[in-house]
Amino acid sequence: MSDWLPDTPRTLAFPTSAYVTLAGADWLASAGPDPDAAHAAWAARPSAPSVLPCGTAFDVINAPALFGRRMVDHLWSAGPGSGPVAAHRGRILLFAAPGAAQRLPALLVWEEWAAAVPPLLCHGSGDAVTVPPLHPGLGTAAAAAEDPSGPAASRWLVAPDVRHPWLPGPDVLLWACVRAARSMAGQERDVAAQPRVSALTGG
């Protein structure tokens, strides 16, 4: 494995979400048919995002930024936590158990809150996703200025740090979708009610 990728113990000074560990890189590389080739590509271009296939090591649920953030918030505040999570070009990528991309849309069909869930892109077998650079310090401001859709637009929020990370299944993701939809609907109702309350109170 390349020596540019740190294996620093995670501390408050070096947040858990900031970078992919060596073990996490091994897990990401296992998604493709040639893990050694993935490691070689990262060594040659450490500041570049990479493209990995879904369906073997993980599926990916791709959500609009605000809704995806709400899902992650609920997973961590009241649920079991999340697997790896990335932000990419204004979207949130939630890494999920293989098979989740096929099952989640079917579960949402039967959920009464499904209409409040924005369109999700579910990437499973036969699909591929772009993942951020393994270490955040390797992207530069100059590169971001040259290409606004490049590395700076792609970063880890919860980076892989073990060889076998826990990944949420479709039932956990459905739970997060429903709670995110409910919380956003409640917030919209509160905002809509404010002008009426102000008018009644003379505020």
Side-chain angles (χ1 to χ4, degrees):
M1 181 61 196
S2 305
D3 57 8
W4 59 264
L5 185 62
D7 199 17
T8 310
R10 301 202 169 190
T11 67
L12 290 177
F14 209 115
T16 56
S17 61
Y19 70 97
V20 178
T21 63
L22 294 171
D26 285 341
W27 173 70
L28 287 171
S30 74
D34 189 348
D36 289 338
H39 282 301
W42 289 326
R45 300 188 63 205
S47 63
S50 52
V51 177
L52 294 175
C54 300
T56 302
F58 54 77
D59 282 0
V60 170
I61 306 304
N62 182 332
L66 180 58
F67 190 82
R69 289 269 189 171
R70 288 292 180 93
M71 288 179 67
V72 175
D73 286 347
H74 285 287
L75 285 168
W76 282 104
S77 64
S82 72
V85 180
H88 181 68
R89 295 188 179 182
R91 307 275 298 186
I92 297 297
L93 308 181
L94 294 97
F95 287 69
Q102 180 180 5
R103 289 275 296 136
L104 180 60
L107 292 175
L108 279 169
V109 167
W110 297 98
E111 173 54 51
E112 62 177 312
W113 279 89
V117 175
L120 303 175
L121 305 177
C122 299
H123 306 291
S125 182
D127 298 325
V129 294
T130 300
V131 301
L134 273 60
H135 191 279
L138 296 169
T140 65
E146 291 176 9
D147 182 7
S149 64
S154 185
R155 63 191 178 93
W156 291 103
L157 302 178
V158 181
D161 61 352
V162 295
R163 284 185 174 84
H164 302 287
W166 177 81
L167 299 171
D171 52 341
V172 172
L173 292 166
L174 176 67
W175 176 90
C177 282
V178 169
R179 274 148 188 81
R182 285 176 177 170
S183 68
M184 294 182 76
Q187 187 177 41
E188 289 173 2
R189 283 196 301 269
D190 291 344
V191 170
Q194 285 177 359
R196 294 197 297 271
V197 172
S198 298
L200 291 172
T201 59

